[in-house]
Amino acid sequence: MTQIAKRFTTAFGSLLLALLLISTASLARADGDDGIVRIKSAVPMAEAIARIKADVAGKGIRFFSEIDQSKLAADADIALRPSTLLVFGNPPLGTQFITSNPNAGLDWPVRLLLTQDDNGDVWAIWTDFQWIARRHNIRDRDAQFRMATSVVQSIVSTITMR
């Protein structure tokens, strides 16, 4: 391979990597002022839950709870579209937010909602971590908030492709 071809291949690879990172970052951005991030799943609810739980386990992240909100509603004779809340986290990371402001314990560990809309589309929904930082006036944990964002984006990326 010529030197020019090698440079082109390297530059092209770098461009593709940059585009991938930009598209992943734009996937998980809060809409509006409510701090809610929504990502559409490419797979049905049960598979989305299974993939997310497997990825959380594969990353060595502690899984705390799976709450089937639609089952709880049905038990109370209330109709609710499929809705499951997954709670997970990494205590060495998450507790750093709480040490900065104890009120941040309202938002940790991570809560990821999987819900199905009227069209049958499944969505992964969570609270944007930069929004949480602003909510709790946490200004001394930027790197940790970026890490949390990166991890959750990685986890939900498992459901964006068939």
Side-chain angles (χ1 to χ4, degrees), residues 23-30 37-39 126 128 149 152-153 156:
S23 67
T24 301
S26 66
L27 276 177
R29 202 170 274 147
V37 181
R38 294 171 37 99
I39 301 297
W126 70 96
D128 177 68
T149 297
V152 170
Q153 286 176 341
V156 298

Side-chain angles (χ1 to χ4, degrees), residues 64-119:
F64 294 107
S65 186
E66 176 180 342
I67 303 166
D68 185 340
Q69 295 172 328
S70 49
K71 181 180 180 331
L72 293 172
D75 291 346
D77 293 325
I78 299 170
L80 179 66
R81 291 186 310 256
S83 180
T84 299
L85 184 67
L86 304 177
V87 182
F88 56 88
N90 177 356
L93 178 60
T95 55
Q96 291 184 49
F97 307 115
I98 299 168
T99 61
S100 182
N101 180 345
N103 294 342
L106 288 168
D107 294 301
W108 299 99
V110 175
R111 292 152 183 88
L112 180 66
L113 178 66
L114 290 155
T115 188
Q116 187 172 323
D117 66 19
D118 288 335
N119 298 323

